Amino acid sequence: MVKPEDKTPENKVKPRSRQYPDSQKKMKEDVATTGHSWDGIEEYDNPMPRWWLWTFYACIIWAVGYMFLFPAWPMIKSATPGLLGYSTRADVADEIAEFEARNDVWFQQLNQTELTEIAANTDLQRFATQAGGSVFRAQCSQCHGSGAAGVQASGYPNLLDDEWLWGGTIDDIHQTITYGIRNEEHMDARYSQMPAFGQDGLLAEEEIDQVVEYVLQMSGQQHDADLAQAGFEVYDLNCVACHGPDGGGDPFVGAPALNNAVWLYGGDAESIRETIYYSRWGVMPGFVNRLRPAEIRAVAAYVHQLGGGE
């Protein structure tokens, strides 16, 4: 330790620049400063490496060229097209056209093959299943679900089971997809109407309660035996024409079976009573004007092979 009295010029601690005189002296002599100083710290004016500067200038030139050759500046309705006329939309359109051309052969074969014979052609069935599945996920999954299981008690039927309101053969499925159900778009749409027995005053409250218990009895659920016995006569007079004497339903008129555990709008007493009182009015759009004929046939083949098709 240097004592205060020993702090002569010779004994003072030398600054770092003087401890390394060669390097620091050389930097101070060869490199100019910017003139900026912060608490005695000066900023050297070191130029950027030449290779970096040339790269930077080249990037600027490239950017300016790109601005004129390719779409760059946004306008009110579009962007500047660029001198080369390049378009990513055109690339996508060309790619779609390429795949359409590849699939067109299969679509033509699909149109020329009877619906009931598609499954016999392994390659055609594979194409129809894949194409139909893609269309189904884009057009039908919003209601029937991505797996085609429907939405329970919400009026969107399950397409995986054996219960079909309008028939589950591939021809029936094709007809339903083509024209839809109870819509006002097509004269050939599936159509039926269940009376609103309560709302329209066709049945008294007591009669509705009786037929609810009878339907619960038919479907094997807990019920009031006395009310169910009285409900048999009400059912026989008002419901048997569509749903059948045993509650088996009638696909010809879209009348669901009432003697099992499959319910489109719910099978508990409250849901059944609401159905009888207000009726139901499910609507499905037709796709004859939305999809190409081959796409509709592909969707029919896809739905039919899911496991519930007749």
Side-chain angles (χ1 to χ4, degrees), residues 28-212:
K28 284 189 174 182
E29 292 177 353
D30 297 344
V31 182
T33 64
T34 62
H36 301 158
S37 177
W38 296 271
D39 294 332
I41 301 175
E42 296 182 342
E43 179 184 359
Y44 288 116
D45 186 14
N46 285 317
M48 299 297 295
R50 289 300 180 90
W51 66 267
W52 193 96
L53 286 176
W54 286 116
T55 302
F56 179 68
Y57 295 147
C59 289
I60 294 176
I61 296 172
W62 179 86
V64 173
Y66 185 96
M67 180 179 63
F68 287 102
L69 295 177
F70 294 91
W73 293 97
M75 310 278 292
I76 296 177
K77 294 184 177 180
S78 62
T80 54
L83 297 178
L84 297 180
Y86 175 77
S87 171
T88 54
R89 290 179 179 270
D91 284 353
V92 173
D94 292 341
E95 188 174 354
I96 292 176
E98 178 184 352
F99 281 95
E100 288 287 349
R102 294 181 187 178
N103 292 333
D104 190 56
V105 177
W106 289 103
F107 280 132
Q108 290 183 13
Q109 186 175 352
L110 194 59
N111 280 328
Q112 297 168 1
T113 305
E114 291 291 334
L115 289 170
T116 54
E117 297 177 2
I118 293 176
N121 187 328
T122 304
D123 292 335
L124 184 60
Q125 172 70 359
R126 184 183 301 112
F127 173 79
T129 300
Q130 293 176 352
S134 297
V135 176
F136 181 92
R137 286 185 287 273
Q139 302 287 339
C140 314
S141 61
Q142 293 85 349
C143 294
H144 295 285
S146 58
V151 181
Q152 187 176 9
S154 297
Y156 303 116
N158 184 350
L159 305 179
L160 304 177
D161 57 26
D162 296 326
E163 294 296 319
W164 293 88
L165 286 177
W166 300 95
T169 68
I170 191 169
D171 289 309
D172 290 331
I173 296 171
H174 180 265
Q175 172 77 8
T176 302
I177 296 171
T178 302
Y179 299 110
I181 300 170
R182 301 188 191 93
N183 60 66
E184 298 179 356
E185 302 172 3
H186 309 291
M187 294 296 295
D188 294 322
R190 307 280 198 183
Y191 195 92
S192 66
Q193 183 173 358
M194 175 181 172
F197 290 99
Q199 190 176 46
D200 294 340
L202 301 176
L203 292 177
E205 295 285 341
E206 182 181 4
E207 291 175 313
I208 293 177
D209 293 336
Q210 292 169 351
V211 78
V212 167

Side-chain angles (χ1 to χ4, degrees), residues 3-18:
K3 297 181 180 180
E5 58 272 15
D6 295 334
K7 285 186 178 180
T8 59
E10 293 79 8
N11 295 330
K12 288 183 179 179
V13 178
K14 297 180 181 180
R16 294 184 61 87
S17 60
R18 295 185 181 181

Side-chain angles (χ1 to χ4, degrees), residues 252-283:
F252 183 76
V253 295
L258 305 177
N259 57 3
N260 57 28
V262 179
W263 296 92
L264 192 57
Y265 293 95
D268 59 284
E270 183 179 352
S271 298
I272 295 174
R273 192 179 198 285
E274 183 178 352
T275 299
I276 296 172
Y277 195 96
Y278 295 104
S279 177
R280 301 291 185 176
W281 188 258
V283 177

